[in-house]
Amino acid sequence: MTETYRRHLLGLIGAGTAALAGCSEADDDELLDDGTDDTDDDSDADGTTDETEPTDDESTDDESEVEGSLPPYSSTLASMDDISDTDYFYTAADLGTIVETLDDDPGDGEMPNDPLLINPIATVSLGIYGLFNLGLSPVAEAQAAAEQEAEHPTLLYLEGVYVLYGSYDQDLAASELESAGYDQTGGGNDAGYVVFTDDTSSEVIGVTDEAFIYSFGNDEARAERVVTTIGRANSGGGSPKHDTDDEFESLLRTSEETGITCGLYGNGETLSDLETEQVDEDDIDFDFGPYEGATGVVQGLTVDGNRSTARATVIYETPDDVDDDRLENRLGTEAESVDIEVAEKTATVTATYETDVID
């Protein structure tokens, strides 16, 4: 991410709700010019679509018949088996997409009823909430100072913790955090990650060469465990979840490199958190009701001009459990076209919308 990109992103969010509503039009226009161009160039140059196509030397679970590339941020999706016994829930949104939503005046539009749109919109809202709080904290200065240019900067949310995936100067981040009064409580140069805490604010921060991990407003002891687990996985001291769970890996490989992604995985069991507040913040709800009976789902949304494409890959325990009628009746209700493909125990839903649905 370029210096201008980063400065406008955190500066805009840290300025407060007035800026989020688009009051500073001059700054917003400059941000969109810089951020959007960078994002589009990266996408075109990298061939995002090509990279997610199956290749001869890539293989996954034969039953799921899903192949593709792991998203760049996959190393930050650590296994939480020792921390949480709930369904595995995460979100990811590239910062270019978030910047574009910040430029828009939200107006008085109504929330859609289509879960293919509800969940991506909730993902962006959750990301903006996290970045807003980061922008109000002294931690933002350390993040800004340590951040370096990255090909696919992405904001993730996992177990109450935000992860800014990109490229970071770990030593500089540690120095900045120490200067701001934060205490190093874990990791070190030999570990490949560092962890800092602040008892007054209950903030927990982790930094690796590829991730800046931030927690606020959570139980500090638990948050420190989560931040440490993510830091270890990303730096090679622990295993990302996809390394130890083939089914989760097959789902993860359906994700695009950019755009908006959210996933819910039952760790081998039927999903339980279907229609729930996945986060404690008010008014950020996810609807996974259409996936009743499934063991996992990854949803994605990409926007290209005035056209949006949503995709959901849903896995079930057996082919007999696939409920394509339920998916057809509940998903893509506001789309121009919807296509459902079933292969063994996997259903793939693709919907197109002739509009920028995040606008």
Side-chain angles (χ1 to χ4, degrees):
M1 188 195 319
T2 66
E3 179 71 12
T4 301
Y5 203 118
R6 184 271 307 161
R7 185 176 67 250
H8 281 292
L9 182 66
L10 289 183
L12 181 62
I13 295 174
T17 55
L20 287 175
C23 294
S24 301
E25 294 181 2
D27 288 344
D28 288 352
D29 289 342
E30 183 182 352
L31 179 148
L32 185 60
D33 289 341
D34 294 337
T36 304
D37 288 345
D38 287 344
T39 304
D40 290 343
D41 289 345
D42 285 344
S43 177
D44 293 340
D46 297 337
T48 300
T49 303
D50 293 339
E51 290 183 14
T52 55
E53 290 295 324
T55 59
D56 293 338
D57 56 1
E58 289 174 344
S59 62
T60 56
D61 186 352
D62 291 338
E63 289 185 329
S64 67
E65 295 189 9
V66 174
E67 296 180 348
S69 300
L70 290 169
Y73 54 78
S74 60
S75 61
T76 66
L77 296 177
S79 174
M80 295 293 163
D81 293 345
D82 294 335
I83 298 175
S84 174
D85 58 1
T86 62
D87 291 350
Y88 192 92
F89 171 73
Y90 75 93
T91 69
D94 72 89
L95 293 184
T97 296
I98 293 180
V99 166
E100 291 180 18
T101 66
L102 291 174
D103 182 72
D104 295 330
D105 184 343
D108 298 320
E110 296 183 359
M111 190 70 178
N113 295 316
D114 185 349
L116 289 180
L117 303 182
I118 291 173
N119 294 339
I121 290 173
T123 293
V124 171
S125 299
L126 179 58
I128 290 175
Y129 178 84
L131 288 173
F132 181 87
N133 281 273
L134 174 61
L136 296 177
S137 168
V139 174
E141 296 183 9
Q143 189 274 337
E147 187 177 38
Q148 301 174 324
E149 289 192 14
E151 189 173 8
H152 295 294
T154 304
L155 177 65
L156 298 100
Y157 177 90
L158 174 64
E159 286 293 332
V161 168
Y162 289 89
V163 182
L164 279 156
Y165 173 82
S167 179
Y168 289 90
D169 184 328
Q170 185 185 137
D171 291 338
L172 180 56
S175 176
E176 292 287 329
L177 289 168
E178 288 175 355
S179 297
Y182 292 81
D183 300 317
Q184 183 173 343
T185 56
N189 291 334
D190 294 338
Y193 70 94
V194 290
V195 176
F196 284 80
T197 62
D198 177 61
D199 292 338
T200 301
S201 63
S202 296
E203 292 171 302
V204 181
I205 306 96
V207 188
T208 73
D209 290 341
E210 294 182 332
F212 194 96
I213 312 160
Y214 178 59
S215 171
F216 63 93
N218 299 314
D219 177 274
E220 186 176 338
R222 184 181 187 279
E224 188 170 355
R225 290 182 64 196
V226 174
V227 170
T228 299
T229 300
I230 296 173
R232 284 175 176 168
N234 180 244
S235 61
S239 297
K241 186 171 180 62
H242 67 81
D243 276 356
T244 58
D245 192 321
D246 292 341
E247 191 166 67
F248 180 75
E249 179 186 2
S250 70
L251 266 179
L252 198 57
R253 286 182 180 274
T254 69
S255 305
E256 298 285 349
E257 284 186 344
T258 58
I260 305 166
T261 302
C262 61
L264 185 65
Y265 180 63
N267 292 306
E269 304 292 336
T270 302
L271 297 176
S272 58
D273 296 330
L274 297 175
E275 298 176 5
T276 181
E277 292 185 15
Q278 293 287 349
V279 293
D280 294 333
E281 291 71 45
D282 293 337
D283 301 326
I284 303 181
D285 298 334
F286 290 78
D287 181 6
F288 291 98
Y291 313 117
E292 181 177 336
T295 57
V297 57
V298 166
Q299 242 187 261
L301 178 71
T302 56
V303 179
D304 183 7
N306 290 324
R307 182 182 178 87
S308 304
T309 303
R311 183 179 182 184
T313 302
V314 195
I315 56 173
Y316 296 81
E317 188 172 358
T318 71
D320 292 338
D321 295 322
V322 177
D323 193 347
D324 50 332
D325 288 337
R326 183 180 184 86
L327 298 176
E328 183 178 0
N329 291 331
R330 293 287 304 275
L331 298 177
T333 56
E334 300 176 31
E336 295 293 326
S337 64
V338 183
D339 178 68
I340 299 179
E341 297 182 1
V342 177
E344 296 295 332
K345 64 174 186 177
T346 300
T348 302
V349 183
T350 304
T352 59
Y353 305 80
E354 299 300 324
T355 181
D356 177 351
V357 295
I358 304 295
D359 191 352

